[in-house]
Amino acid sequence: MTTGTVTPVHAAVSRIAAAVCLATSGYLHAQLYLHGYRVIPLIGPAFLLQASGSLAVAVLLLVSGPAILRLGAAALAAGALVGFVLSRTIGIFGFVERGFSPAPQALLSLLAEVAVLLLLVVPLLGRLTARRGPPAAGRRWAGRR
């Protein structure tokens, strides 16, 4: 195996790990929804939607991994991260939190969502690198005199 090549086994392990992390994020959002967030206007339904979407896409990722599912998983994780950052900076729909409250769900969710993005991006970068192939001889010095 050459450096930068993603084997089918590596891709499957990465996809399954991303599914587990996405399911973890979904579970944490569901837990927060059930234990208080459901009464917060707009935020409660957003947590329920995030939980349901994350759990559904995670199950589908376990079965197969077409690009549209990986894109959906990345979008769910990125959306949750954006919501996290907004809720701790300028607020989102009038809702503001501080630090890693509620603990430990906030930190665990943050870690799970970052992991989803890393697990989905690394194999993609490996495939892109493998397609490009090695640089042509002398290309690095082209245009220099």
Side-chain angles (χ1 to χ4, degrees):
M1 177 175 74
T2 62
T3 304
T5 303
V6 178
T7 66
V9 171
H10 287 114
V13 168
S14 177
R15 178 177 51 81
I16 291 166
V20 169
C21 291
L22 189 63
T24 300
S25 173
Y27 171 78
L28 292 166
H29 279 84
Q31 185 182 44
L32 289 170
Y33 173 80
L34 292 172
H35 296 288
Y37 280 57
R38 68 175 168 230
V39 299
I40 304 169
L42 296 175
I43 299 300
F47 267 66
L48 183 58
L49 185 62
Q50 179 70 26
S52 339
S54 293
L55 291 168
V57 171
V59 168
L60 292 172
L61 270 178
L62 287 174
V63 177
S64 73
I68 192 72
L69 279 179
R70 294 190 311 268
L71 181 62
L76 284 162
L81 288 171
V82 168
F84 182 88
V85 169
L86 288 175
S87 71
R88 280 143 180 86
T89 55
I90 62 172
I92 183 167
F93 304 123
F95 179 74
V96 179
E97 288 188 301
R98 300 282 176 237
F100 288 104
S101 174
Q105 292 91 340
L107 178 60
L108 294 174
S109 181
L110 180 71
L111 293 173
E113 289 143 8
V114 168
V116 169
L117 292 176
L118 289 174
L119 287 163
L120 294 174
V121 168
V122 169
L124 176 65
L125 292 177
R127 282 193 294 273
L128 291 175
T129 303
R131 281 187 196 155
R132 285 163 100 189
R139 183 185 309 165
R140 182 169 55 151
W141 300 104
R144 289 190 180 178
R145 299 211 189 260

